[in-house]
């Protein structure tokens, strides 16, 4: 005979007991409310039944309990440790059972009602998010338990309240049956991590209501109807609307879009409550095989957004959420997928206000079942269907009045099954004003959008050309990449190539980069910690750091690149005129001001306004540029044209640049050095012009007064996350091959030092141990007496089946070398497939400012298309342009570091001058770099000209660092 315990509810597959039916959430009303956020008492036990329930009673002494902040996670407040897994469950897979070792946090809050709290009506206790299972007592009465961590739950408690000394007790279990449905790629963080509030419910107060606000793009009219469980009236003063709930009214309106997020203030008035409404008129439909809003197809330029704060985890405050939305808008992002759960409801208010398309995703993922071929997957087990439907309903009912939400998503990576079909049928029946998405529904049986993750460029083009096959229904549907461009570490590469496809084929309606922010946890020892840093039994390392923002919300180079790639105003052309294209879906260009500037050798010599017509969406115009303001006199020159906000907006100030382009005028003259100096052999040194070399090895020792260390060919880079790829991938992972073939441990054999009348030639072979492949490398040095030219010739030997990581030279300078000036791409880093945002100009930085602080150190900081650079009293001109990198540690030290805190500046600044770099790609989860970005081993020659800098280190002005 099996005995039951009080904790059986933990392993019950039902969604819980005692909670009220889900309903629309509104931010405020004239009914009283009391926030119960703040300081709570906490006791953590190792198991679910380690303690009794006496703490729920009045008078319990919790004085020796810890104090924690709610909203919050107890493991981020000194009680236990977080766990990171991508998809593996951190407990045995035996649904619905969970381990006996089940950290359980008893939370206690004693509160008084405000003196003005009404004595009539009822009250509702609301939890906006608790992970993963909670049981609740108020004044000693067990009022229920619930699962569904990122979903709201309300309880009727008016009959239990008293004026003072109310005891709210909440027992939170880290693991429950619900954990099987919440296997999202993120930290496992138990706790009450969203708001807790007590809401007064006056007699006749509003219950649930549904705002239907459609827009007819042919007539310009909006139709409003508000269905309400409690009869009342709807007023919208700006539209002279005053109607009863349930009645429809049609009037001329300004529509809502993500580009023009116009909201009308309305009011729902019932007998006992007045509820403010924010109404956006818009119509979403599947028409002509496309997702259309207000009659127009939309192109999603989106991101996936987990909720994250480096100290508070998923407990976000309003200002952090606002910062996210403003950063998205300022970087040209127009859409967000709420991966992989509904966000804090305030985030959706901000999306309504500032304008973002939203794919609202249900709190559902069962990814770990893939390890057993989806056997026992809850979404295909009828016992779990009530829990799935409860999760779908709590998402839809809470969020249904947000105009920003255009698509409901059933969840993520949960396989397939009858439960998902039931969810889709319920959502379609409840809300026909939006579409339904689920990436795992490969044949689109239950969904309205064909969605994929990380499809290659070639496959995306195949789909765009409607050559992909599949079911008849799928072939008629629009295509969206719900995840692409995996932004882990240095990258993602290939974004511009994806965007070109999106803009070339109507069926391709964009995608959502994975993901918004690195989930690093602020940590004194590591800087930012990731999986494994807390001693987890199972973990997935830094795979949790794959965002366009660093954990502190500083934009990464990937976000700067994405902003450029998806800019809503494009500028290109030839000398004399530019073609300006409006890439908005709805807005014209009347909100933008255009400016030209003219640069000679990277310095702006003149600028002025450019008159551009207020082009309608999709339109282009050729605009004549003025005559060049100065003669180039043999220098390189180009135009830069910027589109910026003409006036302040809600999300950015006037002058904020949204798009730009550069048009070359005159080409750069390549550096030339006449070989007029002869090398002179001394006892221990060879001198050539301003330089000295080791007489035995031919190694460069100095150029003028500048000491140089260890200049030689370099092909290795500290592998990026995208170089290394993902363990499950069957495609070639270049980082692994590079290590297999020993490119990180190349040997340099000296074959000869030759002096001629006008040159010093050093012949070498650069090759790894254990393999026959190698690079025959010749360094040829010449000088005109004041300058030194190095020409490097590289010839592959053997059967090279792998591209090179980089190809160039590396050398060391004294640690005093600090400030850097360069003419080339900037201000930030750029690689072959990540340099769309690299703008040609003159830039300055410190060596430290050149570094990109990826959470896991890796190759970073290269400036692309550099013409010349000055550092440490040395000037380097390239023939042709080159990639420039400088750092205070070696590539080998960078490669060995696991965290930024592992890197210690040395007594040398190491400089790389690269003729070539291998592409980046996004193979940390997606495809690798496209073939055109491979750095293949082939005969190559390149040159650099060295001279002493015109302005020595001490003369550099104090300029802000750029990175």
């Amino acid at each position: 005979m099996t005995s039951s315990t009080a904790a059986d509810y933990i392993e019950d597959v039902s969604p819980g007991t005692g909670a009220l039916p889900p309903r629309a959430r509104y931010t405020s009303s004239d009914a009283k409310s009391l926030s119960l956020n703040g300081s709570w008492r906490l006791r953590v036990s190792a198991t679910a039944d380690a303690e009794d329930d006496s703490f729920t009673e009045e008078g319990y002494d919790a004085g020796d309990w810890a104090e924690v902040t709610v909203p919050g996670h107890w493991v981020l407040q000194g009680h236990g440790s977080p766990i990171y897994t991508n998809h593996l469950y951190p407990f045995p897979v035996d649904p619905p059972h969970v381990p006996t070792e089940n950290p359980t946090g008893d939370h206690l809050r004693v509160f008084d009602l405000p003196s003005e709290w009404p004595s009539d009506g009822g009250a509702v206790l609301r939890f906006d998010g608790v992970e993963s299972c909670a049981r609740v007592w108020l004044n000693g009465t067990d009022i229920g338990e619930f699962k569904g961590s990122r979903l709201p739950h309300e309880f009727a408690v008016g009959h239990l309240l008293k004026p003072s000394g109310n005891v709210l007790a909440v027992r939170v279990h880290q693991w429950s049956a619900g954990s099987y449905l919440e296997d999202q790629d993120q930290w496992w963080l138990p706790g009450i991590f969203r708001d807790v509030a007590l809401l007064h419910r006056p007699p006749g107060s509003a219950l649930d209501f549904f705002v239907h606000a459609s827009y007819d793009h042919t007539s310009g009219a909006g139709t409003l109807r508000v269905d309400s469980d409690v009869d009342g009236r709807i007023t919208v003063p700006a539209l002279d609307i005053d109607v009863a709930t349930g009645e429809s009214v049609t009037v001329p309106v300004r529509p809502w879009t993500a580009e023009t997020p116009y909201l009308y203030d309305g009011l729902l008035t019932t007998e006992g409550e007045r509820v403010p409404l924010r109404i956006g008129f818009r119509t979403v439909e599947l028409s002509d095989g496309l997702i259309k809003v207000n009659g127009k197809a939309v192109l999603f330029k989106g991101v996936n957004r987990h909720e994250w704060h480096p100290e508070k985890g998923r407990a976000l405050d309003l200002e952090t959420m606002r910062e996210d939305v403003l950063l998205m808008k300022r970087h040209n992002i127009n859409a967000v997928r709420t991966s992989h759960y509904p966000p804090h409801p305030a985030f959706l208010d901000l999306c309504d206000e500032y304008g973002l398309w939203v794919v609202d995703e249900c709190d559902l993922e069962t990814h770990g079942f893939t390890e057993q071929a989806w056997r026992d997957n809850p979404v295909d087990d009828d016992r779990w269907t009530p829990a799935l439907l409860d999760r779908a309903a709590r998402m839809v009912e809470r969020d249904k009045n947000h105009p920003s939400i255009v698509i409901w998503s059933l969840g993520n990576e949960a396989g397939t099954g009858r439960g998902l079909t039931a969810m889709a049928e319920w959502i379609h029946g409840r809300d026909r004003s939006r579409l339904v998405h689920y990436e795992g529904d490969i044949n689109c049986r239950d969904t309205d959008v064909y969605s994929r993750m990380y499809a290659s460029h070639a496959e995306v083009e195949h789909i765009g050309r409607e050559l992909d096959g599949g079911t008849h229904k799928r072939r008629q549907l629009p295509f969206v990449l719900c995840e692409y461009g995996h932004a882990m570490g240095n990258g993602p590469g290939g974004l511009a190539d994806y965007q070109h496809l999106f803009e070339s084929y109507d069926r391709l309606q964009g995608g959502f980069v994975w993901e918004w922010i690195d989930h690093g946890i602020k940590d004194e020892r590591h800087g930012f910690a990731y999986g494994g840093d807390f001693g987890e039994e199972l973990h997935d390392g830094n795979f949790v750091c794959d965002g366009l923002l660093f954990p502190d919300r500083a934009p990464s180079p990937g976000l700067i690149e994405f902003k450029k790639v998806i800019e809503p105003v494009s500028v290109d052309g030839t000398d004399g005129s530019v073609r300006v294209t409006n890439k908005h879906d709805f807005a014209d260009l009347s909100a933008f001001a255009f400016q030209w500037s003219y640069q000679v050798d990277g310095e702006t010599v003149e600028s002025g306004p450019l008159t551009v017509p207020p082009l309608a969406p999709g339109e282009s115009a050729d605009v004549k540029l003025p005559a060049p303001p100065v003669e180039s006199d043999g220098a390189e020159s180009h135009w830069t044209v910027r589109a910026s906000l003409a006036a302040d907006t809600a999300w950015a100030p006037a002058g904020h640049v949204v798009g730009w382009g550069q048009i070359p005028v005159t080409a750069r003259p390549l550096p030339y050095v006449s070989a007029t100096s002869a090398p002179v052999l001394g006892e221990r040194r060879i001198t050539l012009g301003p330089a000295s070399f080791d007489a035995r090895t031919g190694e460069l020792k100095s150029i003028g007064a500048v000491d140089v260390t260890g200049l030689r060919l370099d092909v290795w880079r500290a592998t990026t996350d995208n170089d290394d790829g993902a363990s499950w991938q069957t495609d070639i992972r270049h980082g692994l091959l590079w290590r297999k073939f020993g490119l990180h441990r190349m040997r340099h054999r000296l074959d000869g030092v030759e002096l001629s009348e006008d040159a010093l030639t050093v012949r070498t072979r650069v090759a790894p141990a254990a393999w026959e492949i190698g690079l025959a490398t010749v360094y040829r040095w010449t000088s005109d007496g004041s300058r030194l030219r190095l020409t490097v010739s590289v010839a592959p030997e053997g059967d090279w089946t792998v591209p090179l990581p980089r190809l160039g030279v590396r050398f060391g300078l004294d640690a005093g070398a600090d400030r850097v000036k360069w003419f080339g791409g900037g201000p930030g880093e750029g690689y072959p497939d990540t340099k769309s945002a690299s703008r040609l100009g003159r830039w300055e930085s410190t060596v430290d400012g050149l570094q990109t602080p990826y959470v896991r150190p890796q190759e970073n900081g290269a400036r692309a298309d550099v013409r010349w650079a000055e550092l440490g009293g040395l000037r380097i001109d390239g023939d042709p342009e080159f990639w420039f990198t400088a750092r205070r540690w070696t590539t080998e030290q960078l490669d060995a570091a696991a965290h930024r805190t592992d890197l210690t500046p040395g007594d040398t600044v190491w400089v790389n001058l690269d003729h070539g770099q291998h592409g980046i790609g996004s193979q940390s989860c997606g495809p690798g770099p496209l073939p055109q970005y491979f750095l293949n081993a082939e005969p190559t020659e390149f040159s650099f000209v060295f001279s002493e800098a015109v302005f020595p280190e001490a003369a550099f002005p104090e300029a802000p660092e750029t990175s």
Side-chain angles (χ1 to χ4, degrees):
M1 181 176 183
T2 303
S3 62
S4 62
T5 70
D8 282 350
Y9 64 88
I10 298 171
E11 295 182 341
D12 191 331
V13 299
S14 74
T17 59
L20 295 169
R23 65 179 179 122
R25 184 189 192 278
Y26 43 92
T27 304
S28 63
S29 78
D30 62 350
K32 296 292 183 183
S33 65
L34 175 65
S35 171
L36 297 177
N37 295 345
S39 179
W40 289 52
R41 291 289 184 172
L42 172 75
R43 174 184 64 190
V44 178
S45 305
T47 66
D49 56 359
E51 306 287 351
D52 61 28
D53 299 342
S54 60
F55 79 105
T56 67
E57 301 291 343
E58 183 179 359
Y60 182 86
D61 183 6
D64 60 346
W65 288 22
E67 286 191 56
V68 293
T69 299
V70 170
H73 307 277
W74 72 70
V75 295
L76 296 183
Q77 300 185 62
H79 307 282
S81 298
I83 300 169
Y84 168 60
T85 61
N86 167 28
H87 77 281
L88 295 175
Y89 289 105
F91 48 80
V93 178
D94 183 23
H97 304 297
V98 296
T100 300
E101 297 82 7
N102 187 359
T104 296
D106 288 336
H107 295 71
L108 194 62
R109 171 74 187 263
V110 179
F111 66 93
D112 300 334
L113 294 179
S115 58
E116 67 273 14
W117 192 266
S119 58
D120 61 339
V124 165
L125 178 63
R126 182 182 184 92
F127 296 89
D128 277 319
V130 182
E131 183 175 331
S132 75
C133 172
R135 187 177 180 185
V136 186
W137 295 263
L138 182 61
N139 292 329
T141 299
D142 184 349
I143 60 174
E145 39 80 19
F146 62 90
K147 307 176 190 76
S149 297
R150 269 67 70 173
L151 296 162
H153 294 83
E154 292 183 331
F155 298 87
V157 297
H159 60 294
L160 299 174
L161 291 173
K162 52 187 182 178
S164 63
N166 292 283
V167 178
L168 176 57
V170 186
R171 175 164 285 170
V172 180
H173 307 285
Q174 175 154 20
W175 310 123
S176 69
S179 300
Y180 285 99
L181 303 180
E182 296 172 4
D183 189 26
Q184 295 99 338
D185 173 13
Q186 60 181 341
W187 294 95
W188 299 87
L189 298 173
I192 305 172
F193 68 96
R194 287 187 185 159
D195 304 293
V196 183
L198 185 69
L199 311 176
H200 179 235
R201 300 284 77 211
S205 61
L207 294 176
D208 190 29
F209 58 90
F210 197 161
V211 177
H212 304 275
S214 61
Y215 178 72
D216 184 345
H217 66 278
T218 61
S219 66
T223 299
L224 177 66
R225 186 186 81 248
V226 179
D227 296 329
S228 174
D229 287 354
V230 175
D231 291 342
R233 295 199 69 78
I234 302 298
T235 54
V236 185
L239 297 174
D240 292 327
I241 290 176
D242 185 348
V243 296
T245 54
E247 292 184 11
S248 295
V249 58
T250 300
V251 294
V253 297
R254 293 174 59 179
W256 188 98
T257 74
E259 296 168 10
T260 56
Y262 194 83
L263 294 171
Y264 289 91
D265 289 317
L267 194 67
L268 164 62
T269 304
T270 66
E271 178 186 352
E273 190 173 16
R274 292 159 57 88
V275 181
L277 306 177
R278 297 281 275 166
I279 302 168
F281 289 88
R282 57 104 185 96
T283 295
V284 183
E285 60 182 337
L286 185 63
S287 176
D288 303 321
L290 298 173
I291 304 165
K292 292 185 178 180
V293 179
N294 301 340
K296 290 186 176 182
V298 296
L299 184 62
F300 294 122
K301 303 170 183 178
V303 292
N304 287 272
R305 175 185 175 269
H306 267 299
E307 294 181 305
W308 188 251
H309 187 282
E311 297 173 76
K312 301 174 183 177
R314 287 187 287 277
L316 299 190
D317 58 25
L318 179 62
E319 287 313 304
T320 299
M321 290 183 269
R322 189 185 307 276
E323 185 178 358
D324 278 348
V325 171
L326 293 177
L327 280 167
M328 289 178 189
K329 294 291 290 186
R330 290 168 184 169
H331 289 87
N332 296 331
I333 290 163
N334 73 358
V336 59
R337 174 180 176 228
T338 69
S339 53
H340 298 293
Y341 42 82
H344 189 292
F347 179 76
L348 298 174
D349 293 336
L350 296 167
C351 293
D352 294 342
E353 178 184 352
Y354 291 102
L356 288 168
W357 307 119
V358 175
V359 177
D360 197 3
E361 192 149 89
C362 195
D363 189 10
L364 173 62
E365 181 167 334
T366 64
H367 198 176
F369 284 90
T370 189
E371 295 298 320
Q372 53 199 61
W374 297 106
R375 186 173 61 258
D376 297 328
N377 185 11
V379 304
D380 200 28
D381 184 335
D382 291 341
R383 294 174 300 168
W384 295 79
T385 299
L388 302 181
L389 289 173
D390 179 76
R391 288 171 183 249
R394 290 189 183 278
M395 170 182 71
V396 171
E397 301 297 6
R398 187 195 78 166
D399 296 344
K400 59 182 177 284
N401 295 326
H402 289 281
S404 56
I405 298 172
V406 293
I407 296 175
W408 301 115
S409 179
L410 304 181
N412 183 69
E413 293 178 319
T416 57
R418 292 162 288 176
L420 289 164
T421 297
M423 293 171 71
E425 289 176 347
W426 185 89
I427 293 175
H428 276 124
R430 177 59 173 150
D431 180 19
R432 297 191 177 278
S433 69
R434 296 177 175 94
L435 307 183
V436 172
H437 164 275
Y438 176 64
E439 180 268 342
D441 184 8
I442 193 67
N443 291 318
C444 304
R445 182 183 68 175
D446 302 318
T447 54
D448 305 309
V449 181
Y450 178 28
S451 175
R452 291 283 302 284
M453 295 180 181
Y454 307 109
S456 69
H457 297 81
E459 186 177 4
V460 169
E461 182 170 21
H462 203 64
I463 294 168
R465 296 172 62 193
E466 301 183 354
L467 300 175
D468 54 303
T471 62
H472 176 76
K473 178 184 178 184
R474 193 182 85 180
R475 295 197 306 273
Q476 311 306 308
L477 294 181
F479 178 78
V480 169
L481 275 172
C482 68
E483 295 180 21
Y484 82 110
H486 198 251
M488 185 175 176
N490 187 334
L495 291 177
D497 305 276
Y498 274 116
Q499 194 65 24
H500 175 72
L501 293 173
F502 298 157
E503 294 175 3
S504 298
Y505 299 98
D506 290 343
R507 187 188 183 193
L508 307 180
Q509 292 198 252
F512 298 80
V513 168
W514 186 268
E515 68 158 312
W516 177 235
I517 188 169
D518 286 343
H519 301 201
I521 294 176
K522 192 172 182 179
D523 174 85
E524 202 169 298
R525 186 160 70 94
H526 302 102
F528 290 109
Y530 49 75
D533 289 336
F534 299 96
E536 299 102 307
E537 178 184 30
L538 293 174
H539 67 85
D540 288 287
N542 68 313
F543 200 70
V544 77
C545 294
D546 45 15
L548 293 170
L549 295 180
F550 295 119
D552 59 2
R553 281 183 161 73
S556 76
L559 181 57
I560 306 304
E561 175 80 357
F562 193 42
K563 176 187 177 181
K564 173 61 178 170
V565 165
I566 60 174
E567 59 189 4
V569 184
S570 70
V571 177
D572 59 3
T574 57
D575 185 26
S577 69
V578 292
R579 167 154 285 207
V580 178
T581 301
N582 181 1
K583 293 186 175 182
H584 287 100
D585 293 324
F586 297 92
D588 64 22
L589 296 189
S590 59
F592 298 97
F594 290 80
Q595 185 182 55
W596 61 264
S597 59
Y598 191 75
Q599 286 82 34
V600 176
D601 276 349
E603 292 198 280
T604 297
V605 295
E606 197 166 327
S607 62
L610 185 68
T611 301
V612 176
L615 300 170
E619 287 188 345
S620 298
D622 292 316
V623 180
K624 187 172 179 58
L625 290 166
V630 297
E631 295 291 333
S632 62
D633 292 330
E636 181 175 9
S637 59
H638 65 272
W639 299 95
T640 300
V641 175
R642 294 176 174 86
S644 58
L645 293 177
D648 291 348
T649 68
W651 50 270
H656 171 79
V657 176
V658 298
W660 57 271
Q662 292 188 308
I663 301 96
V665 180
T666 57
R668 162 186 177 241
L670 293 177
Y672 173 73
V673 174
S674 59
T676 56
S677 291
V680 177
L681 176 62
E683 182 179 347
R684 301 175 60 183
R685 288 284 188 267
I686 299 169
T687 57
L688 177 61
S692 68
F693 301 80
D694 184 281
R696 184 179 62 85
T697 63
E699 180 182 341
L700 177 67
K701 291 298 183 181
S702 65
I703 300 173
V706 179
D707 292 334
V708 179
T709 304
L711 187 149
R712 63 185 188 178
L713 189 79
D714 191 14
V715 300
W716 181 244
R717 72 184 186 197
T719 54
T720 68
D721 293 311
N722 288 307
D723 290 336
D724 292 335
S727 60
W728 62 84
Q729 290 173 328
T730 57
D731 292 346
I732 293 172
R733 295 154 64 193
H734 286 128
L736 298 186
L737 284 179
W738 293 339
R739 293 187 194 277
K740 173 184 175 182
F741 286 110
L743 302 191
H744 61 309
R745 49 176 176 80
M746 300 291 271
R747 309 284 181 86
H748 296 252
R749 186 184 75 203
L750 178 62
D751 287 342
V753 178
E754 303 168 3
L755 278 66
S756 65
E757 289 185 359
D758 62 355
L760 166 64
T761 302
V762 181
R763 301 185 185 278
T764 69
R765 187 174 191 269
V766 183
W771 299 95
E772 64 175 356
I773 58 174
L775 300 169
T777 305
V778 179
Y779 308 89
R780 187 173 189 271
W781 299 93
T782 58
S783 175
D784 62 2
S786 62
R787 295 177 298 164
L788 183 70
R789 183 182 184 93
L790 167 64
T791 299
V792 182
S793 302
V794 180
E797 298 177 341
D799 185 15
W800 280 85
T801 59
V802 61
L804 298 170
R806 71 178 345 132
L807 182 64
V809 296
R810 178 175 72 170
F811 60 88
L813 297 176
D814 183 84
D818 182 45
R819 298 210 65 82
V820 184
K821 294 175 66 174
W822 75 98
F823 172 29
E829 73 182 27
Y831 291 82
D833 53 348
T834 69
K835 62 174 186 170
S836 298
S838 185
R839 194 167 73 250
L840 182 61
R842 287 202 191 193
W843 309 100
E844 296 185 17
S845 176
T846 62
V847 169
D848 292 339
L850 292 174
Q851 313 311 307
T852 303
Y854 294 114
V855 174
R856 184 190 75 81
Q858 54 198 275
E859 166 61 34
N860 75 89
R863 269 50 180 185
D865 302 317
V866 174
R867 279 71 166 151
W868 57 257
E870 292 184 2
L871 170 66
L874 198 63
R875 177 182 169 111
I876 307 110
D877 288 81
D879 179 6
E881 292 77 30
F882 58 99
W883 272 272
F884 173 82
T885 310
R887 53 177 66 102
R888 298 188 183 279
W889 34 78
T890 65
T891 299
E892 291 73 21
Q893 290 167 330
L894 182 64
D895 196 28
H899 297 87
R900 290 279 300 174
T901 51
D902 297 333
L903 294 170
T904 302
D907 57 5
T908 303
V909 170
W910 292 98
V911 179
N912 277 92
L913 312 176
D914 291 315
H915 174 69
Q917 280 268 358
H918 188 63
I920 297 294
S922 66
Q923 203 172 359
S924 50
C925 192
L930 288 166
Q932 61 264 37
Y933 303 119
F934 280 28
L935 180 60
N936 294 315
E938 56 192 15
T940 307
E941 186 171 281
F942 51 92
S943 297
F944 301 103
V945 175
F946 299 89
S947 58
E948 290 191 84
V950 176
F951 299 102
E953 182 83 24
F956 277 26
E958 288 299 319
E961 296 181 9
T962 60
S963 63

